[in-house]
């Protein structure tokens, strides 16, 4: 009676898959042929392999498995996204030096950790205007983009949840402090408006709305005004059900960054700070 250790059930399919792949099998019928061949080998040919060293059998399996290793895919991952390559490498090392379960746990765990970090630390960057257009882009990617001394346009690249609301509030505060220090050093006009581009904010929860309300109060104490640009339908629906729009005013919510900037410019040049802002096709 043959007794198989549990690991054989895990390792067996890999070696058989390698044999099928190297033999050029195309359909599931190959599994039937393979099963018959294995049965015949176990019943009649086992004595022939009795004196074969285990290292020889291992080398046969390794030689067959080499065909399943896709080196080009690993190189492609390294060139395209090094974090994905790290996930792939962790899975490989976990399987080689441990078990398949360890490899899966490592790769899935690292992927989940990456997702949590992405949600918990969304990117925020300053936007500037591409000359002779109404397009606003990241000034780090477009150094030629023009910024305005009285306006700070920030783009939030991700949803606003309880997990990242505190981080976003603090990060926006640091951006404002850095901008005010820069203006103070250069002697330019002081900062007046903070425009938040929320085009990439797909969703927002109650903690995110509370963060915006708190941010508006903090800016008010610093004599700064918060302006919202391009909120999505889902975000706008939740903001409408809250008290945020009442606290900030409908005149500070706009469909595009260009409209928000035009309204702020109008306020700075032709109206008093507390005067109502004219309509610029705002939401």
């Amino acid at each position: 009676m043959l007794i198989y250790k549990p690991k054989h059930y895990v390792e067996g399919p890999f070696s058989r898959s390698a044999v099928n792949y190297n033999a050029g099998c195309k359909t599931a019928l190959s599994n039937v042929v393979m099963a018959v061949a294995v049965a015949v080998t176990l019943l009649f040919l086992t004595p022939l392999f009795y004196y074969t060293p285990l290292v020889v059998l291992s080398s046969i399996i390794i030689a067959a498995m080499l065909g399943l290793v896709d080196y080009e895919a690993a190189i492609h991952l390294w060139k395209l996204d090094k974090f994905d390559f790290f996930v792939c490498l962790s899975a490989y090392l976990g399987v080689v030096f441990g078990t398949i379960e360890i490899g899966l746990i490592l790769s899935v765990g690292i992927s989940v950790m990456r997702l949590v970090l992405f949600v918990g630390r969304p990117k925020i960057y300053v936007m500037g205007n591409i000359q002779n257009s109404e397009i606003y882009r990241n000034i780090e990617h477009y150094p030629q983009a023009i910024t305005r001394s009285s306006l700070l346009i920030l783009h939030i690249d991700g949803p606003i949840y309880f997990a990242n609301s505190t981080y976003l509030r603090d990060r926006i505060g640091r951006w404002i402090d850095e901008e005010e220090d820069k203006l103070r050093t250069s002697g330019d006009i002081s900062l007046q408006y903070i425009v938040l581009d929320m085009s990439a904010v797909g969703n927002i929860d109650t903690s995110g709305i509370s963060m915006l309300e708190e941010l508006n109060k903090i800016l008010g104490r610093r004599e700064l005004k918060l302006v919202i640009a391009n909120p999505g339908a889902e975000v706008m629906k939740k903001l409408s059900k809250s008290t945020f729009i009442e606290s900030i005013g409908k005149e500070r919510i706009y469909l595009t960054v260009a409209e928000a900037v035009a309204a702020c410019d109008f306020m700075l040049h032709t109206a008093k700070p507390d005067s109502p802002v004219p309509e610029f096709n705002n939401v």
Side-chain angles (χ1 to χ4, degrees):
M1 180 177 180
L2 296 175
I3 300 176
Y4 294 95
K5 295 182 180 180
K7 65 178 182 178
H8 289 170
Y9 293 106
V10 177
E11 296 170 353
F14 279 101
S15 59
R16 291 199 296 268
S17 298
V19 172
N20 282 356
Y21 177 80
N22 292 327
C25 298
K26 301 296 183 181
T27 66
L29 184 62
S30 61
N31 294 326
V32 178
V33 177
M34 178 182 61
V36 173
V38 170
V40 172
T41 301
L42 292 176
L43 292 175
F44 305 106
L45 302 180
T46 302
L48 299 178
F49 297 99
Y50 182 78
Y51 296 102
T52 303
L54 293 179
V55 66
V56 175
L57 296 177
S58 300
S59 62
I60 294 174
I61 295 176
I62 292 174
M65 290 290 294
L66 289 177
L68 296 180
V69 180
D70 193 348
Y71 300 99
E72 294 182 357
I75 296 174
H76 177 70
L77 286 178
W78 172 259
K79 293 180 179 179
L80 186 64
D81 191 331
K82 290 181 174 54
F83 193 93
D84 285 344
F85 175 81
F86 177 70
V87 174
C88 175
L89 183 63
S90 65
Y92 171 76
L93 295 178
V95 172
V96 171
F97 295 102
T99 62
I100 292 180
E101 289 81 3
I102 294 177
L104 287 175
I105 291 173
L106 285 175
S107 58
V108 173
I110 294 174
S111 299
V112 171
M113 182 180 65
R114 180 189 190 183
L115 179 62
V116 171
L117 290 176
F118 175 78
V119 174
R121 295 291 186 271
K123 294 182 179 179
I124 304 178
Y125 52 81
V126 179
M127 301 180 70
N129 176 244
I130 304 299
Q131 194 171 9
N132 299 324
S133 72
E134 294 185 350
I135 300 175
Y136 288 80
R137 291 292 184 267
N138 186 354
I139 60 174
E140 293 183 357
H141 298 163
Y142 295 84
Q144 72 276 15
I146 302 173
T147 58
R148 300 169 183 265
S149 57
S150 57
L151 299 175
L152 177 60
I153 307 172
L154 298 176
H155 177 87
I156 301 177
D157 192 15
I160 304 177
Y161 294 125
F162 71 95
N164 60 22
S165 58
T166 302
Y167 167 80
L168 288 174
R169 183 196 60 199
D170 296 340
R171 189 69 187 92
I172 292 173
R174 288 197 297 270
W175 273 116
I176 295 173
D177 293 338
E178 293 175 4
E179 186 68 16
E180 287 184 332
D181 292 340
K182 187 189 304 182
L183 294 175
R184 194 178 300 112
T185 302
S186 61
D188 290 334
I189 302 174
S190 61
L191 192 61
Q192 298 291 330
Y193 289 93
I194 308 299
V195 180
L196 292 184
D197 177 24
M198 301 181 67
S199 57
V201 180
N203 205 342
I204 187 172
D205 64 359
T206 54
S207 298
I209 296 175
S210 299
M211 183 274 293
L212 292 178
E213 293 175 345
E214 183 180 357
L215 179 63
N216 184 47
K217 294 178 181 178
I218 294 174
L219 296 180
R221 290 194 293 267
R222 299 176 62 170
E223 297 183 353
L224 299 173
K225 295 178 177 60
L226 179 64
V227 178
I228 303 298
N230 200 12
E234 186 67 23
V235 174
M236 196 62 197
K237 183 189 301 182
K238 293 184 178 180
L239 293 179
S240 300
K241 294 180 179 179
S242 67
T243 59
F244 175 73
I245 294 183
E246 296 178 2
S247 62
I248 193 176
K250 293 183 179 180
E251 67 276 5
R252 294 190 194 169
I253 301 179
Y254 295 88
L255 290 174
T256 64
V257 175
E259 292 177 359
V261 171
C264 294
D265 282 342
F266 182 87
M267 287 293 297
L268 289 171
H269 294 94
T270 64
K272 295 181 180 180
D274 295 330
S275 300
V277 179
E279 296 293 334
F280 282 88
N281 296 325
N282 55 316
V283 179

